[in-house]
Every structure is written in C-alpha cells, then in structure tokens.
Amino acid sequence: LTSDAECRVCRIGSSCAPGSTEPTPCSAGTYSAQDGVGTCNKCEAGTFQDTSGATGCKNCTAGHYCSEGSSAPLPCPAGRRTNPDLD
C-alpha cells in the first residue's frame, strides 16, 4: 500500500486494531454500531450481548441483572427481586 487511503474500513460488528490484516468480530458482551472502529464497546449496564459480531446490545431480562459488559443476564439472588421502579 502506498497510503492509508488504500486501507480497508473495518465493518460494523467488528474492530480493527492498528496493523490489522483481518477484522476481529466483537466478542460477547461488546458491540460495534458503526464502521471503522479500533475497539468494540462494552454493553452498558442493564443490557447484554450473548453473540459475537454484534451491532448492539439486548435489554436485560426481567428478574435478572446485567452489569457493564455482560454476555448473559444473571438471575437476581434468592431473597431479592427486580425493582419495578427501574423497569
């Protein structure tokens, strides 16, 4: 290549670190919603992503909680429940 203009743009659902020859699909718990990112974003608290190559995150399931970067909803522990004020 003779300039950075000849480098290919990394597509949504993946990331490309400097010097990459191939895109890396975003791992579970992360996503990329736009082209040309160097790193995938962690899912925000209250959301999760259970597949790789995602372009967004899913809302956490009722009766469960999802902290930042969750790849699956975790059930509320015994003696606790979902807070209806937060739904």
Side-chain angles (χ1 to χ4, degrees):
L1 304 176
T2 59
S3 75
D4 66 350
E6 294 178 43
C7 296
R8 294 178 137 188
V9 173
C10 199
R11 297 290 177 202
I12 62 172
S14 63
S15 65
C16 295
S20 295
T21 57
E22 294 293 327
T24 302
C26 295
S27 60
T30 67
Y31 71 99
S32 168
Q34 62 185 27
D35 290 335
V37 300
T39 58
C40 296
N41 300 307
K42 289 182 181 179
C43 290
E44 295 179 14
T47 66
F48 74 100
Q49 184 48 258
D50 55 354
T51 61
S52 63
T55 59
C57 298
K58 304 170 186 176
N59 288 329
C60 202
T61 310
H64 293 70
Y65 67 95
C66 299
S67 51
E68 182 183 48
S70 289
S71 59
L74 298 172
C76 291
R80 298 184 152 233
R81 63 180 179 86
T82 301
N83 183 345
D85 295 333
L86 299 176
D87 289 341

